[in-house]
PDB file of all heavy atoms in Angstrom:
ATOM      1  N   THR A1109      67.305 101.079  90.258  1.00  0.00           N
ATOM      2  CA  THR A1109      68.528 100.432  89.657  1.00  0.00           C
ATOM      3  C   THR A1109      69.328  99.773  90.761  1.00  0.00           C
ATOM      4  O   THR A1109      69.907  98.672  90.529  1.00  0.00           O
ATOM      5  CB  THR A1109      69.344 101.540  88.947  1.00  0.00           C
ATOM      6  OG1 THR A1109      68.516 102.147  87.945  1.00  0.00           O
ATOM      7  CG2 THR A1109      70.523 100.885  88.286  1.00  0.00           C
ATOM      8  N   ASN A1110      69.484 100.417  91.903  1.00  0.00           N
ATOM      9  CA  ASN A1110      70.231  99.850  92.993  1.00  0.00           C
ATOM     10  C   ASN A1110      69.588  98.545  93.483  1.00  0.00           C
ATOM     11  O   ASN A1110      70.329  97.564  93.808  1.00  0.00           O
ATOM     12  CB  ASN A1110      70.343 100.860  94.125  1.00  0.00           C
ATOM     13  CG  ASN A1110      71.401 100.480  95.135  1.00  0.00           C
ATOM     14  OD1 ASN A1110      72.322  99.746  94.830  1.00  0.00           O
ATOM     15  ND2 ASN A1110      71.242 100.969  96.347  1.00  0.00           N
ATOM     16  N   LEU A1111      68.260  98.486  93.570  1.00  0.00           N
ATOM     17  CA  LEU A1111      67.591  97.279  93.978  1.00  0.00           C
ATOM     18  C   LEU A1111      67.796  96.154  93.001  1.00  0.00           C
ATOM     19  O   LEU A1111      68.041  95.002  93.413  1.00  0.00           O
ATOM     20  CB  LEU A1111      66.083  97.567  94.133  1.00  0.00           C
ATOM     21  CG  LEU A1111      65.227  96.381  94.555  1.00  0.00           C
ATOM     22  CD1 LEU A1111      65.648  95.857  95.926  1.00  0.00           C
ATOM     23  CD2 LEU A1111      63.750  96.808  94.604  1.00  0.00           C
ATOM     24  N   ARG A1112      67.695  96.413  91.733  1.00  0.00           N
ATOM     25  CA  ARG A1112      67.894  95.372  90.725  1.00  0.00           C
ATOM     26  C   ARG A1112      69.352  94.854  90.756  1.00  0.00           C
ATOM     27  O   ARG A1112      69.594  93.632  90.630  1.00  0.00           O
ATOM     28  CB  ARG A1112      67.613  95.923  89.316  1.00  0.00           C
ATOM     29  CG  ARG A1112      66.104  96.233  89.091  1.00  0.00           C
ATOM     30  CD  ARG A1112      65.897  96.830  87.715  1.00  0.00           C
ATOM     31  NE  ARG A1112      64.490  97.069  87.452  1.00  0.00           N
ATOM     32  CZ  ARG A1112      63.998  97.675  86.377  1.00  0.00           C
ATOM     33  NH1 ARG A1112      64.870  98.097  85.428  1.00  0.00           N
ATOM     34  NH2 ARG A1112      62.721  97.848  86.224  1.00  0.00           N
ATOM     35  N   PHE A1113      70.269  95.745  90.956  1.00  0.00           N
ATOM     36  CA  PHE A1113      71.678  95.330  91.045  1.00  0.00           C
ATOM     37  C   PHE A1113      71.900  94.459  92.254  1.00  0.00           C
ATOM     38  O   PHE A1113      72.612  93.420  92.202  1.00  0.00           O
ATOM     39  CB  PHE A1113      72.582  96.590  91.120  1.00  0.00           C
ATOM     40  CG  PHE A1113      74.017  96.249  91.335  1.00  0.00           C
ATOM     41  CD1 PHE A1113      74.793  95.770  90.293  1.00  0.00           C
ATOM     42  CD2 PHE A1113      74.610  96.435  92.588  1.00  0.00           C
ATOM     43  CE1 PHE A1113      76.124  95.475  90.483  1.00  0.00           C
ATOM     44  CE2 PHE A1113      75.948  96.148  92.783  1.00  0.00           C
ATOM     45  CZ  PHE A1113      76.735  95.646  91.742  1.00  0.00           C
ATOM     46  N   LEU A1114      71.324  94.802  93.424  1.00  0.00           N
ATOM     47  CA  LEU A1114      71.489  94.007  94.617  1.00  0.00           C
ATOM     48  C   LEU A1114      70.785  92.649  94.447  1.00  0.00           C
ATOM     49  O   LEU A1114      71.288  91.646  94.961  1.00  0.00           O
ATOM     50  CB  LEU A1114      70.903  94.751  95.819  1.00  0.00           C
ATOM     51  CG  LEU A1114      71.665  95.990  96.248  1.00  0.00           C
ATOM     52  CD1 LEU A1114      70.951  96.687  97.410  1.00  0.00           C
ATOM     53  CD2 LEU A1114      73.121  95.698  96.613  1.00  0.00           C
ATOM     54  N   GLN A1115      69.615  92.611  93.791  1.00  0.00           N
ATOM     55  CA  GLN A1115      68.985  91.316  93.531  1.00  0.00           C
ATOM     56  C   GLN A1115      69.851  90.432  92.644  1.00  0.00           C
ATOM     57  O   GLN A1115      69.957  89.205  92.927  1.00  0.00           O
ATOM     58  CB  GLN A1115      67.631  91.540  92.880  1.00  0.00           C
ATOM     59  CG  GLN A1115      66.588  92.182  93.790  1.00  0.00           C
ATOM     60  CD  GLN A1115      65.289  92.517  93.076  1.00  0.00           C
ATOM     61  OE1 GLN A1115      65.248  92.555  91.867  1.00  0.00           O
ATOM     62  NE2 GLN A1115      64.275  92.785  93.846  1.00  0.00           N
ATOM     63  N   PHE A1116      70.431  90.970  91.633  1.00  0.00           N
ATOM     64  CA  PHE A1116      71.348  90.221  90.764  1.00  0.00           C
ATOM     65  C   PHE A1116      72.548  89.743  91.522  1.00  0.00           C
ATOM     66  O   PHE A1116      72.982  88.563  91.389  1.00  0.00           O
ATOM     67  CB  PHE A1116      71.752  91.082  89.557  1.00  0.00           C
ATOM     68  CG  PHE A1116      72.835  90.479  88.713  1.00  0.00           C
ATOM     69  CD1 PHE A1116      72.524  89.444  87.811  1.00  0.00           C
ATOM     70  CD2 PHE A1116      74.139  90.886  88.796  1.00  0.00           C
ATOM     71  CE1 PHE A1116      73.493  88.910  87.041  1.00  0.00           C
ATOM     72  CE2 PHE A1116      75.104  90.319  88.026  1.00  0.00           C
ATOM     73  CZ  PHE A1116      74.796  89.286  87.119  1.00  0.00           C
ATOM     74  N   LYS A1117      73.081  90.607  92.354  1.00  0.00           N
ATOM     75  CA  LYS A1117      74.248  90.237  93.158  1.00  0.00           C
ATOM     76  C   LYS A1117      73.926  89.206  94.227  1.00  0.00           C
ATOM     77  O   LYS A1117      74.748  88.367  94.531  1.00  0.00           O
ATOM     78  CB  LYS A1117      74.834  91.497  93.821  1.00  0.00           C
ATOM     79  CG  LYS A1117      76.180  91.285  94.495  1.00  0.00           C
ATOM     80  CD  LYS A1117      76.733  92.588  95.005  1.00  0.00           C
ATOM     81  CE  LYS A1117      78.091  92.389  95.644  1.00  0.00           C
ATOM     82  NZ  LYS A1117      78.667  93.687  96.124  1.00  0.00           N
ATOM     83  N   ALA A1118      72.716  89.267  94.777  1.00  0.00           N
ATOM     84  CA  ALA A1118      72.319  88.293  95.797  1.00  0.00           C
ATOM     85  C   ALA A1118      72.267  86.866  95.183  1.00  0.00           C
ATOM     86  O   ALA A1118      72.603  85.894  95.906  1.00  0.00           O
ATOM     87  CB  ALA A1118      70.936  88.674  96.376  1.00  0.00           C
ATOM     88  N   ILE A1119      71.828  86.749  93.969  1.00  0.00           N
ATOM     89  CA  ILE A1119      71.789  85.407  93.295  1.00  0.00           C
ATOM     90  C   ILE A1119      73.201  84.869  93.155  1.00  0.00           C
ATOM     91  O   ILE A1119      73.457  83.665  93.519  1.00  0.00           O
ATOM     92  CB  ILE A1119      71.123  85.510  91.920  1.00  0.00           C
ATOM     93  CG1 ILE A1119      69.667  85.938  92.099  1.00  0.00           C
ATOM     94  CG2 ILE A1119      71.203  84.186  91.181  1.00  0.00           C
ATOM     95  CD1 ILE A1119      68.955  86.189  90.748  1.00  0.00           C
TER      96      ILE A1119
END
Side-chain angles (χ1 to χ4, degrees):
T1109 303
N1110 194 23
L1111 178 61
R1112 291 177 179 176
F1113 175 76
L1114 293 177
Q1115 290 174 345
F1116 172 77
K1117 190 175 181 179
I1119 296 175

